[in-house]
Amino acid sequence: AVVRPLGDISGDGVLDTKDAMKSVQFALKNRKPKTDAEFTAADVNADGKLDSKDAMILINAVKNKETIN
C-alpha cells in the first residue's frame, strides 16, 4: 500500500490547495471522506475528528509549503 503524507487527502503525494479545500469541506460537513485513507490523511491532529483544527493546520502547511509531522 502507498503511504500518503499526512494531509495528502487527494493521494497525489503532495500537500496542495486541493487537500486544503477538501479539509475545509470535511470540517464544514459539506463532504465526507470516501475512504479510511482519506479520513486518516485529513485528521492531521489525530484526534479522531475532522474539524476546523485539522483544516487550519493543513491550510497553514500548504501556505508555508511545509509537511505535517
Side-chain angles (χ1 to χ4, degrees), residues 27-40:
L28 294 173
K29 309 291 187 243
N30 291 341
R31 170 183 204 143
K32 291 183 178 180
K34 294 178 183 168
T35 64
D36 289 343
E38 263 194 359
F39 184 96
T40 301

Side-chain angles (χ1 to χ4, degrees), residues 5-6 11 15 17 22 25 28 35 39 46 50 65-66:
L6 193 55
L15 297 184
T17 54
K22 281 187 177 185
Q25 291 171 334
L28 294 173
T35 64
F39 184 96
L50 301 181
K65 296 181 170 72
E66 298 172 345

Side-chain angles (χ1 to χ4, degrees), residues 10-25:
S10 65
D12 63 2
V14 294
L15 297 184
D16 56 22
T17 54
K18 288 183 290 189
D19 302 309
M21 290 303 299
K22 281 187 177 185
S23 182
V24 169
Q25 291 171 334

